[in-house]
Amino acid sequence: MNNKHRKALATVFTDPVSGTVEWTAIEKLLIAADAEVVEGNGSRVRFVKDDEVETFHRPHPAKEAKRYQVRAARAFLERIGVRP
């Protein structure tokens, strides 16, 4: 992971959950954590690592991830063993 990934990781694990995290930063963080990206229909995207799967809808038209998406990304990262 590079510095941008570590910064995004720290932001994802910050309480209270931030509503200003760009979705692309979360997506790049999950990819850096070796999660495989599976594109779905429309804005749906699935991340798979080992036996863990998490599904998201990319936010639009805004760039920022919703708070529930940040919480879901945090839970997925914890399940795959990634913590700041």
Side-chain angles (χ1 to χ4, degrees):
M1 276 191 211
N2 64 26
N3 283 336
K4 287 184 181 182
H5 298 143
R6 283 190 278 281
K7 183 178 177 183
L9 182 64
T11 303
V12 167
F13 277 86
T14 300
D15 281 323
V17 176
S18 175
T20 60
V21 182
E22 286 193 19
W23 171 251
T24 56
I26 292 175
E27 195 165 356
K28 289 175 184 178
L29 170 62
L30 296 175
I31 293 168
D34 293 330
E36 178 186 345
V37 179
V38 180
E39 296 289 338
N41 294 331
S43 63
R44 184 170 292 196
V45 64
R46 181 176 296 128
F47 293 92
V48 180
K49 172 122 194 268
D50 301 329
D51 293 333
E52 296 295 332
V53 178
E54 190 68 44
T55 303
F56 298 93
H57 285 273
R58 288 186 176 109
H60 52 83
K63 309 185 280 190
E64 293 81 19
K66 307 273 192 273
R67 285 183 170 88
Y68 74 88
Q69 293 172 314
V70 176
R71 283 191 289 272
R74 180 192 305 185
F76 179 69
L77 288 165
E78 287 176 338
R79 289 195 314 269
I80 63 173
V82 178
R83 292 182 176 83

